[in-house]
Amino acid sequence: MRYAGACPFTLTRRVRWGDCDPAGIIYTPRVLDYAMEALEAWFREVVGVPWLTMNREMGMGAPTVRAEMDFLAAPYPDQDIVMDLRVESLGRSSITFLVTGQDGVDNALFRVKLVSCFIARPAFKPTAIPEAFRERIVAYQKACKTG
Amino acid sequence: MRYAGACPFTLTRRVRWGDCDPAGIIYTPRVLDYAMEALEAWFREVVGVPWLTMNREMGMGAPTVRAEMDFLAAPYPDQDIVMDLRVESLGRSSITFLVTGQDGVDNALFRVKLVSCFIARPAFKPTAIPEAFRERIVAYQKACKTG
Amino acid sequence: MRYAGACPFTLTRRVRWGDCDPAGIIYTPRVLDYAMEALEAWFREVVGVPWLTMNREMGMGAPTVRAEMDFLAAPYPDQDIVMDLRVESLGRSSITFLVTGQDGVDNALFRVKLVSCFIARPAFKPTAIPEAFRERIVAYQKACKTG
Amino acid sequence: MRYAGACPFTLTRRVRWGDCDPAGIIYTPRVLDYAMEALEAWFREVVGVPWLTMNREMGMGAPTVRAEMDFLAAPYPDQDIVMDLRVESLGRSSITFLVTGQDGVDNALFRVKLVSCFIARPAFKPTAIPEAFRERIVAYQKACKTG
């Protein structure tokens, strides 16, 4: 299996007026929301499984169990943020992602590490990442390394 | 059946920093969110049915089908908003609510009219408001009129 | 002055997982947020003035003073919503917009009427729409009628 | 200076329907939003300075520069979450907080570490925590240790 998309996967997000607070910069929790938007899009487009399908048809989920965030510069309204997503490590049930937000030039605005854990519903217990998903994830990792 | 709680039902909400935008006032969609918070609390505390119970155990829902909002003054961070909720009319499947937000003194900040329609899931078709709910709603209306 | 862009102006928004509630459909206040996103983009791209510029450099604002919303069908995760924005009427200080959200085919999902009022800061009093803005708005209206 | 309030400072938050996603549990970024709500309340009530005052009258800010989050259990609608806030360390310009969210019994739901850095506006450069604030923060730390 080969991954034929962009390496790394990116999502561009324009900072909205309503994402910013009275200090004129992005309100902190919105950065996590942006990173989750990149993660959701990556699952849909790279792994090929929308979260709704995973939840409703496969009886699974991949909730975030840990996050680490570094806020390096303060995004402001109308700024375009290019987020790229890399898979840092892949375990039996869990995946560690690194989402980096950059301005159009070459300045990092934030770095968000996300650890997702696959669980079976409704027991909500960790379960192995399905083999079909794992193959696509490994192909993505490989493509990003050599790309 | 008699309603023994406060008339009208109120919910107080302090405006958060993150609810406000770079103009230093509340970001418009948050006002609808506040009104929905009052509605959710009213269903739980006056009708006695949390939305989760309605959805998961009764196979029903009460989505908003129409809203009208008047923004009379601009709330700012740390301001306390007292919202009261009145039932304006009660149909077979639908209810019209009026949520008014006021500052601590006597100035109206916003008025939100919400029309909810009871539906049966998963068909998502209008259904009659369950009799047990209707009794409590009528009791609430009566209490608010005479109170 | 002629308006050379798309008529009507549209913004496409994919419904996010986190925009939806435990009923599996969009949480009501998010629809207003979507409509505001279309409005913000229209000001930036059609009128040519980002809200931040209006606020910080021109000492003005255009807060929403009234909204009316009809929710016609319930959007769900991953659905693409195409919003178009039309100017319904143009006064001395205020503008009435109609934002319609549609699925890719031809079904209307929601209609949001928004009334914005230009104000001068910090007095927060209504003020005439600047002539340069008015010209572009009128050109947009004209283009949409004949287009 | 002595701190006379509750040790640790707590804020209770009921999980809202709209805070939860189609999996029926809280949408991850909302947890950071809850923790920020506790932090905002702590600044206002323990340090005695609302963020708006700090921003508009003192020309300062205390943006979050780093966050670490552990999600231990999945909160669901209507659940009450008791958050307590402790000061883990206090530097010249920065403070490290630990916000723990618990259900009513004794189960931790999440732990959020937040690092805030005081900055002077508009340069947005780190600045020493004002002495009046520092005294109150130290008093709070002391009270929490012996309490």
Side-chain angles (χ1 to χ4, degrees):
Chain A
M1 169 161 286
R2 262 188 79 230
Y3 169 72
C7 282
F9 175 82
T10 64
L11 185 77
T12 299
R13 180 77 151 80
R14 179 160 290 181
V15 178
R16 294 183 51 198
W17 176 256
D19 288 335
C20 298
D21 64 28
I25 55 175
I26 207 168
Y27 181 56
T28 305
R30 244 71 95 186
V31 175
L32 184 51
D33 195 49
Y34 284 23
M36 294 294 293
E37 183 172 2
L39 185 62
E40 182 180 358
W42 180 86
F43 263 101
R44 188 178 52 229
E45 294 171 32
V46 174
V47 185
V49 61
W51 283 347
L52 190 67
T53 305
M54 209 194 288
N55 190 268
R56 296 288 156 96
E57 294 171 27
M58 304 180 64
M60 299 180 69
T64 305
V65 295
R66 180 167 168 81
E68 287 177 40
M69 313 176 68
D70 287 294
F71 307 92
L72 309 170
Y76 48 82
D78 297 308
Q79 192 174 18
D80 271 325
I81 299 184
V82 182
M83 291 185 281
D84 62 52
L85 183 149
R86 290 164 191 279
V87 175
E88 215 179 74
S89 66
L90 179 63
R92 194 189 82 93
S93 310
S94 70
I95 319 181
T96 303
F97 301 97
L98 185 62
V99 179
T100 306
Q102 295 188 272
D103 63 13
V105 199
D106 60 355
N107 304 301
L109 301 170
F110 55 78
R111 273 194 288 270
V112 179
K113 185 177 288 200
L114 296 169
V115 184
S116 302
C117 181
F118 277 74
I119 54 102
R121 293 174 59 86
F124 224 84
K125 295 285 180 214
T127 191
I129 299 168
E131 204 48 42
F133 295 176
R134 179 178 298 277
E135 281 175 19
R136 289 183 214 127
I137 298 167
V138 168
Y140 175 72
Q141 278 185 298
K142 200 172 296 181
C144 286
K145 253 173 212 150
T146 60
Chain B
M1 168 159 289
R2 261 189 78 230
Y3 168 72
C7 282
F9 175 81
T10 64
L11 185 77
T12 299
R13 180 75 150 79
R14 178 161 292 182
V15 179
R16 294 183 54 197
W17 176 256
D19 289 334
C20 298
D21 63 27
I25 56 174
I26 207 169
Y27 181 57
T28 306
R30 245 71 96 184
V31 175
L32 184 52
D33 195 50
Y34 284 23
M36 293 294 293
E37 183 171 3
L39 185 62
E40 181 180 359
W42 180 86
F43 264 100
R44 188 178 52 230
E45 294 172 33
V46 174
V47 186
V49 60
W51 283 345
L52 189 67
T53 304
M54 208 193 286
N55 188 270
R56 297 289 155 97
E57 295 171 27
M58 304 180 65
M60 300 180 70
T64 305
V65 294
R66 180 167 167 83
E68 286 177 39
M69 314 177 66
D70 286 295
F71 307 92
L72 309 170
Y76 48 83
D78 297 309
Q79 192 175 16
D80 272 325
I81 299 184
V82 182
M83 290 182 284
D84 62 52
L85 182 150
R86 289 163 193 279
V87 175
E88 217 179 75
S89 66
L90 179 64
R92 194 189 82 94
S93 310
S94 71
I95 319 180
T96 303
F97 301 97
L98 184 63
V99 179
T100 306
Q102 295 188 271
D103 64 11
V105 198
D106 59 356
N107 305 303
L109 301 170
F110 55 79
R111 274 193 288 270
V112 180
K113 184 176 290 199
L114 296 169
V115 184
S116 302
C117 181
F118 277 73
I119 53 101
R121 294 174 58 85
F124 224 84
K125 295 284 178 215
T127 192
I129 299 170
E131 205 47 44
F133 294 176
R134 180 178 298 275
E135 281 176 19
R136 288 183 213 126
I137 297 166
V138 168
Y140 175 72
Q141 279 185 296
K142 199 172 297 180
C144 285
K145 253 172 214 152
T146 61
Chain C
M1 168 161 288
R2 261 189 78 232
Y3 168 73
C7 280
F9 176 81
T10 64
L11 185 77
T12 298
R13 179 76 150 81
R14 178 160 292 182
V15 179
R16 294 183 53 198
W17 176 255
D19 288 334
C20 297
D21 63 28
I25 55 174
I26 207 168
Y27 181 58
T28 305
R30 244 72 94 185
V31 175
L32 184 51
D33 195 50
Y34 284 23
M36 293 294 293
E37 184 172 1
L39 185 62
E40 181 180 0
W42 180 87
F43 264 101
R44 188 179 52 230
E45 294 172 32
V46 174
V47 187
V49 62
W51 283 346
L52 189 68
T53 304
M54 209 193 286
N55 189 269
R56 297 289 157 96
E57 293 170 28
M58 302 179 66
M60 299 180 71
T64 305
V65 294
R66 180 167 167 82
E68 286 177 39
M69 312 175 68
D70 286 294
F71 306 93
L72 309 171
Y76 47 83
D78 297 309
Q79 192 175 17
D80 271 325
I81 299 185
V82 182
M83 292 183 282
D84 62 54
L85 183 150
R86 289 165 193 277
V87 174
E88 216 179 76
S89 66
L90 179 64
R92 196 191 79 94
S93 311
S94 71
I95 319 180
T96 302
F97 301 97
L98 183 62
V99 179
T100 307
Q102 295 187 273
D103 63 13
V105 197
D106 59 356
N107 305 301
L109 301 170
F110 55 78
R111 274 193 288 270
V112 180
K113 185 176 287 201
L114 295 169
V115 184
S116 302
C117 181
F118 278 73
I119 53 101
R121 295 174 57 87
F124 224 84
K125 296 283 179 216
T127 191
I129 299 170
E131 204 48 44
F133 294 176
R134 179 178 297 276
E135 280 175 19
R136 288 183 213 128
I137 297 166
V138 168
Y140 175 73
Q141 279 185 296
K142 198 172 298 180
C144 286
K145 252 172 216 154
T146 61
Chain D
M1 168 161 286
R2 263 189 77 230
Y3 169 73
C7 281
F9 176 82
T10 65
L11 185 77
T12 299
R13 181 74 151 80
R14 178 160 292 183
V15 179
R16 295 183 53 199
W17 176 256
D19 288 335
C20 297
D21 63 28
I25 55 174
I26 207 168
Y27 181 57
T28 306
R30 246 70 95 185
V31 174
L32 183 52
D33 195 50
Y34 284 23
M36 293 295 293
E37 184 171 4
L39 185 62
E40 181 180 358
W42 180 86
F43 263 100
R44 188 178 53 229
E45 294 171 34
V46 173
V47 186
V49 61
W51 283 347
L52 189 67
T53 305
M54 208 193 287
N55 189 268
R56 297 288 157 97
E57 294 171 27
M58 303 179 65
M60 299 181 69
T64 305
V65 294
R66 181 168 167 80
E68 287 176 39
M69 314 176 66
D70 287 294
F71 307 92
L72 309 170
Y76 47 83
D78 297 309
Q79 192 176 18
D80 272 325
I81 300 185
V82 183
M83 291 183 282
D84 63 52
L85 183 150
R86 290 163 193 279
V87 175
E88 216 178 76
S89 66
L90 179 63
R92 196 191 80 96
S93 311
S94 71
I95 319 181
T96 303
F97 301 96
L98 185 62
V99 178
T100 307
Q102 295 187 273
D103 63 13
V105 199
D106 60 355
N107 304 303
L109 301 170
F110 55 78
R111 274 193 287 272
V112 179
K113 185 176 287 199
L114 296 169
V115 184
S116 302
C117 181
F118 278 73
I119 53 100
R121 294 174 58 86
F124 224 84
K125 295 283 178 213
T127 191
I129 298 168
E131 205 47 43
F133 294 177
R134 179 177 297 277
E135 280 175 19
R136 288 182 213 128
I137 297 166
V138 168
Y140 175 72
Q141 279 185 295
K142 199 173 294 180
C144 286
K145 253 172 213 152
T146 61

